[in-house]
Amino acid sequence: MSATFASSASARAYRAESAASSKFSDKSRRINSNRVVRARHAPSTSTEGDLMDTTSMPAIYSAPDGSKESEVLSKLRRVIDPDFGEDIVNCGFVKALVIDESAGSVLFAIELTTPACPVKAEFERQAKAFVEELDWVKRVSVTMTAQPARNDAPETVEGLRRVSHIIAVSSCKGGVGKSTTSVNLAYTLAMMGAKVGILDADVYGPSLPTMISPDVPVLEMDKETGTIKPVEYEGVKVVSFGFAGQGSAIMRGPMVSGLINQLLTTTDWGELDYLIIDMPPGTGDVQLTLCQVVPITAAVVVTTPQKLAFIDVEKGVRMFAKLAVPCVSVVENMSYFEVDGVKHKPFGEGSGAKICEQYGVPNLLQMPIVPDLSACGDTGRPLVLRDPTCETSSRYQEVAATVVREVAKLNNGKKPRVDIDPGYDGAFRVEIPGENNDKAFWITAKNVRLSDESARVKGSDESPDRLLNGAPIPDDIAPVEMSVIGNYAMSITWPDGLSQVAAFSTLAKLERLPARAS
């Protein structure tokens, strides 16, 4: 039995908010570090691959010297993962190697971290070509599979238990194209082979009912289980208050937070590789509730070139940093338009680049001003579906690729580490992959504090070499709290109340203390 999801949502919103916050907020950070892994097949042209299950198979790292298996692995070590900087054998991607020497056939599986891996086809092509170089090989069969991580969520969040990664798309400023980015990113990931869902978290002005055109544009609730059945459009599951039959909401903040929490946690999302949350503008109750109640994997920040947009978006980046949510990409909409090969920038330039530079966000994608993009949003069919080969759609493919790569590195790559070394006068002991030959180096806490450029960027009169109360920064200043944010920065709270986001690229440039004797 099912019923239309409408007035019951508002009535239970406040109760859902208070109950969910108390149950989930203490556990939300533990969920990311305690995952259950399941493997499933990515699309494959291999007949054998359709029948192969690599879930419980061990990765193959080596074989006896002189064996045929060793020769094959030697060839596969030439296939390098561009994100991890390691070959696919050392990454543990190679499984189920079977050789029939008499027939000259080689079969193996490459198990990737996500079915939407942007270099999946290239891995398959290279692996097959390199193995075919062996004189005795007559046939090579490669099975491409994927092993996305699973959130081991509590029983009370049943709808999210099979959601691998939650990606927040945020701007903190309205009108910069955040919903356009969310929708086109979601459908691009789906076209790359991932299972995707979208939550429209803006109940005051939901955009999804205008931007997509599902056959049944109404959310339904199962009377027996109380779960919400999402709307589906072109293979993507969608939940928006605009599909609840009430248009936009008129209610106070706590009720809004509870309503969004209900939409997110009681929806039966099923198995998803990526759940895209189209965040509402601002840094208030709704944003804090979402970040604290569920384990958001990463955030994509949307801005425009103006300085005014930068000031607002910067608040969002700091909010995510405070909540230990890594920002993996900045999308700068309305960056330029092109006439006769000449780029014109009517809204100026620099907002997106400043965010990346100051906060160490690793990717900047600049989107052009094109009439088709907004026209597609108004007619209910996203541009990446209507014209998947156009230049703008290719830009969204780049956005999706950065999300996939950065999430894979967050889950599987070597992590930066920063500690206070009490035996070295409270200096910061820093380890950054790829920096200083992967060895630790030491920097003073004072120099870290002096490296904060937020005041300079905002044009503030605050002096970077002074505390917020105007006193000089002491030589022995020490942080009150600090945490690593993904692979790109760390969040530091200082005794005077300043909250600093220090990019690892900035820390790597600071003057270093002599290496401490081990």
Side-chain angles (χ1 to χ4, degrees):
M1 295 290 293
S2 63
T4 301
F5 173 79
S7 58
S8 60
S10 300
R12 284 177 287 190
Y14 187 79
R15 294 196 299 272
E17 154 75 2
S18 57
S21 295
S22 61
K23 290 179 181 178
F24 305 145
S25 59
D26 292 338
K27 298 181 180 179
S28 62
R29 286 300 141 213
R30 293 204 298 269
I31 294 174
N32 263 334
S33 60
N34 185 19
R35 298 178 184 269
V36 177
V37 176
R38 301 278 190 275
R40 69 177 181 79
H41 296 298
S44 173
T45 57
S46 167
T47 303
E48 294 88 343
D50 294 337
L51 302 176
M52 184 179 295
D53 183 359
T54 59
T55 302
S56 59
M57 294 181 180
I60 301 172
Y61 295 94
S62 62
D65 291 341
S67 65
K68 298 299 183 185
E69 289 82 0
S70 178
E71 292 182 26
V72 171
L73 292 179
S74 178
K75 291 294 184 180
L76 292 177
R77 285 192 175 92
R78 293 169 58 187
V79 183
I80 306 298
D81 186 296
D83 300 311
F84 300 146
E86 286 276 4
D87 63 76
I88 62 173
V89 177
N90 283 338
C91 284
F93 293 168
V94 178
K95 291 189 171 186
L97 175 58
V98 178
I99 295 175
D100 184 343
E101 189 174 349
S102 61
S105 68
V106 178
L107 289 76
F108 58 90
I110 298 178
E111 187 179 79
L112 302 174
T113 57
T114 170
C117 177
V119 291
K120 176 173 57 182
E122 183 64 13
F123 276 176
E124 183 175 6
R125 185 193 67 79
Q126 289 185 7
K128 191 171 184 179
F130 290 150
V131 174
E132 284 177 341
E133 292 176 356
L134 295 170
D135 294 337
W136 54 271
V137 172
K138 298 178 181 177
R139 186 173 74 94
V140 178
S141 179
V142 184
T143 300
M144 302 302 294
T145 69
Q147 190 179 41
R150 298 296 176 208
N151 285 334
D152 188 19
E155 291 292 336
T156 44
V157 198
E158 183 65 30
L160 292 174
R161 292 197 66 198
R162 293 188 290 161
V163 176
S164 300
H165 308 297
I166 300 176
I167 309 298
V169 179
S170 174
S171 67
C172 297
K173 180 176 177 60
V176 299
K178 171 180 52 60
S179 295
T180 298
T181 300
S182 299
V183 170
N184 283 283
L185 169 61
Y187 281 97
T188 301
L189 287 168
M191 289 189 291
M192 292 169 66
K195 294 183 178 180
V196 184
I198 315 174
L199 171 69
D200 184 352
D202 190 352
V203 301
Y204 291 127
S207 302
L208 285 186
T210 302
M211 304 186 77
I212 62 173
S213 306
D215 292 333
V216 183
V218 179
L219 295 174
E220 294 183 343
M221 177 177 283
D222 190 301
K223 288 183 177 180
E224 296 180 0
T225 64
T227 58
I228 301 168
K229 180 182 178 182
V231 169
E232 287 201 32
Y233 179 66
E234 296 291 349
V236 172
K237 296 179 179 180
V238 181
V239 170
S240 170
F241 189 71
F243 292 133
Q246 293 186 338
S248 57
I250 303 175
M251 58 181 70
R252 294 186 182 275
M255 290 186 66
V256 172
S257 298
L259 174 59
I260 293 174
N261 180 55
Q262 183 186 5
L263 289 172
L264 175 62
T265 60
T266 64
T267 294
D268 183 11
W269 293 104
E271 182 180 343
L272 295 181
D273 297 301
Y274 301 95
L275 173 59
I276 307 298
I277 300 182
D278 182 8
M279 302 280 280
T283 54
D285 289 343
V286 173
Q287 291 80 4
L288 292 173
T289 297
L290 285 171
C291 291
Q292 291 171 343
V293 167
V294 296
I296 294 179
T297 309
V300 173
V301 177
V302 183
T303 186
T304 52
Q306 303 99 311
K307 182 178 179 180
L308 181 61
F310 167 82
I311 293 172
D312 287 336
V313 170
E314 184 198 34
K315 298 174 185 176
V317 176
R318 286 183 172 274
M319 177 194 71
F320 284 125
K322 197 71 176 175
L323 297 169
V325 176
C327 296
V328 296
S329 296
V330 172
V331 176
E332 186 182 80
N333 284 329
M334 297 179 275
S335 291
Y336 64 90
F337 66 89
E338 196 166 337
V339 178
D340 297 330
V342 178
K343 289 184 178 180
H344 302 270
K345 301 178 180 180
F347 301 114
E349 58 184 320
S351 171
K354 285 180 181 178
I355 289 288
C356 290
E357 179 182 357
Q358 181 179 337
Y359 295 104
V361 181
N363 302 288
L364 171 63
L365 292 308
Q366 295 177 310
M367 308 300 291
I369 303 171
V370 289
D372 285 349
L373 186 58
S374 58
C376 288
D378 292 341
T379 56
R381 188 165 180 81
L383 178 64
V384 296
L385 293 179
R386 199 190 78 173
D387 190 359
T389 61
C390 72
E391 179 185 353
T392 306
S393 293
S394 68
R395 293 295 177 90
Y396 282 114
Q397 291 168 14
E398 293 177 28
V399 177
T402 64
V403 170
V404 171
R405 286 197 300 263
E406 296 301 329
V407 168
K409 287 193 283 187
L410 287 171
N411 289 335
N412 302 281
K414 186 177 180 181
K415 305 294 190 296
R417 179 177 175 180
V418 181
D419 301 298
I420 298 295
D421 191 339
Y424 205 157
D425 300 324
F428 282 33
R429 181 184 183 278
V430 184
E431 293 182 40
I432 304 175
E435 183 67 35
N436 198 38
N437 295 321
D438 288 340
K439 296 180 180 178
F441 60 91
W442 285 260
I443 52 180
T444 66
K446 181 178 181 179
N447 281 344
V448 173
R449 171 60 186 261
L450 289 171
S451 70
D452 180 55
E453 295 188 351
S454 57
R456 298 188 190 96
V457 173
K458 290 184 290 188
S460 169
D461 292 333
E462 300 170 16
S463 175
D465 59 354
R466 296 274 172 175
L467 300 175
L468 294 182
N469 61 10
I473 296 176
D475 292 337
D476 61 350
I477 190 171
V480 174
E481 182 182 10
M482 66 180 191
S483 60
V484 171
I485 315 165
N487 296 320
Y488 71 96
M490 59 183 299
S491 174
I492 309 171
T493 301
W494 297 100
D496 60 339
L498 178 72
S499 179
Q500 178 182 359
V501 180
F504 288 128
S505 58
T506 299
L507 299 185
K509 297 175 184 176
L510 297 181
E511 181 181 355
R512 299 179 184 180
L513 297 170
R516 186 183 178 194
S518 56

